[in-house]
Amino acid sequence: MKEKVGFSISGYLVASIFAALIVIFVSNLVQMGEPNFWMVLCIALTVILFAPGFFMVQPKQARVLTLFGSYVGTIKSTGLRWTIPLFIRRNISLRIRNFESGQLKVNDNHGNPIEIATVVVWTVDDTAQAVFEVDDYESYVSIQSEAALRNMATTYPYDIYEDGDIALRSHTQVISDALTKEVQNRLENAGMKVIEARISHLAYAPEIANAMLQRQQATAIIAAREKIVQGAVGMVDLALEQLAEKGIVELDEERKAAMVSNLLVVLCSDQNTQPIVNAGSLY
């Protein structure tokens, strides 16, 4: 079932016609000088038929019209409107809404238990589908959003383990796009439009949090050590090159090896080294 435009006209125009008819009927009664059954009946029927057809449509709101159980259209024009009084009018909001899921405990792509939550920004796009395709579209949004989050979380690892991996923690925009698409696919048949879906909470489950923290610390230490070693090797190479270029001292292979060893110890050590001055011969 798809949305279509329902019948309605400006309520101000109908109100003007309604007022004019009342004035005409009342003036005729006054001219007759005595109550006329048919004239009174016309006034009563006019009030009964016209008055229930008036309704207001607020900005970013819509009215879904049904007649004896059949969908006849949707009114999105704002202001005072008038339609056939027999139409049953159901109000539905078209405003942008937020849904924030609770913290879900799921396993990532590598089987690690994690805690994850999301914020979904959505709005009603097709009022007919929202009202008639599902029983409660707000509940449908919450349940399907959590289901999409669970499915997406099992597709990606929490952290990068190999080069080229897409991880939940590091690739926020890619994950957001994937989650938005996943939620939209689930809500499309209910007439919903997903504007954005982002992860609002992400952490390892408490039972493995300490172990994973140690792993992250070890990874950071290894990465830092690699940088230190690369810099130390470059500094040693530069020192040997300048010593040879300026002719400050000539070193044989054994002395070069000793110098390289000493410089690497000094540059790569975690703590400040204590130099030992050799007052005698090198040998």
Side-chain angles (χ1 to χ4, degrees):
M1 183 178 294
K2 295 295 183 181
E3 180 183 285
K4 60 183 179 181
V5 179
F7 168 75
S8 74
I9 57 179
S10 172
Y12 302 103
L13 175 61
V14 177
S16 301
I17 297 173
F18 175 70
L21 290 175
I22 295 297
V23 170
I24 292 172
F25 291 151
V26 171
S27 63
N28 288 335
L29 277 176
V30 172
Q31 290 176 0
M32 290 179 182
E34 59 181 12
N36 183 288
F37 172 77
W38 296 108
M39 192 62 64
V40 173
L41 181 61
C42 288
I43 295 175
L45 289 176
T46 301
V47 173
I48 293 173
L49 293 178
F50 276 84
F54 289 100
F55 63 97
M56 294 289 294
V57 180
Q58 301 293 337
K60 303 301 291 184
Q61 299 279 330
R63 293 293 184 98
V64 178
L65 308 179
T66 57
L67 177 64
F68 303 125
S70 299
Y71 171 66
V72 293
T74 299
I75 307 299
K76 293 184 178 179
S77 301
T78 58
L80 180 63
R81 309 295 298 176
W82 185 89
T83 189
I84 299 174
L86 292 177
F87 288 167
I88 296 176
R89 302 175 289 273
R90 176 175 174 177
N91 189 47
I92 185 170
S93 175
L94 303 179
R95 294 168 182 166
I96 296 175
R97 307 187 221 184
N98 288 324
F99 164 73
E100 184 173 8
S101 70
Q103 294 182 11
L104 307 179
K105 188 174 181 179
V106 297
N107 293 333
D108 69 355
N109 184 254
H110 289 178
N112 299 318
I114 62 174
E115 293 180 347
I116 191 170
T118 184
V119 172
V120 178
V121 183
W122 63 280
T123 184
V124 175
D125 187 49
D126 190 305
T127 57
Q129 287 183 322
V131 173
F132 301 111
E133 293 293 342
V134 294
D135 186 53
D136 183 351
Y137 65 89
E138 292 183 348
S139 175
Y140 187 80
V141 168
S142 63
I143 294 174
Q144 292 300 323
S145 296
E146 291 185 354
L149 179 63
R150 287 181 181 274
N151 184 65
M152 190 276 301
T154 60
T155 307
Y156 299 96
Y158 177 91
D159 210 344
I160 296 176
Y161 296 95
E162 298 178 1
D163 292 339
D165 281 350
I166 297 177
L168 297 172
R169 188 174 67 89
S170 58
H171 295 75
T172 54
Q173 188 59 50
V174 175
I175 297 301
S176 175
D177 294 341
L179 182 57
T180 301
K181 184 177 180 181
E182 178 78 17
V183 177
Q184 180 63 64
N185 291 338
R186 292 172 179 266
L187 300 182
E188 190 171 8
N189 59 349
M192 306 300 159
K193 179 182 178 182
V194 179
I195 300 173
E196 183 185 31
R198 288 188 175 274
I199 293 176
S200 60
H201 173 78
L202 181 64
Y204 280 114
E207 59 265 28
I208 65 165
N210 290 334
M212 288 303 175
L213 179 60
Q214 293 177 358
R215 180 186 178 279
Q216 291 176 353
Q217 290 175 343
T219 302
I221 291 173
I222 291 173
R225 286 294 181 185
E226 289 179 354
K227 291 291 184 181
I228 292 173
V229 170
Q230 291 176 2
V233 170
M235 294 173 67
V236 170
D237 181 60
L238 180 63
L240 293 174
E241 182 180 345
Q242 290 187 0
L243 286 173
E245 181 179 348
K246 296 180 179 180
I248 297 175
V249 63
E250 292 185 2
L251 301 175
D252 56 19
E253 293 301 322
E254 186 176 353
R255 292 182 177 180
K256 285 183 180 180
M259 180 179 177
V260 169
S261 176
N262 292 335
L263 285 176
L264 288 177
V265 169
V266 171
L267 295 173
C268 297
S269 177
D270 281 338
Q271 301 177 354
N272 294 331
T273 57
Q274 299 295 328
I276 298 176
V277 179
N278 185 3
S281 172
L282 181 63
Y283 300 100

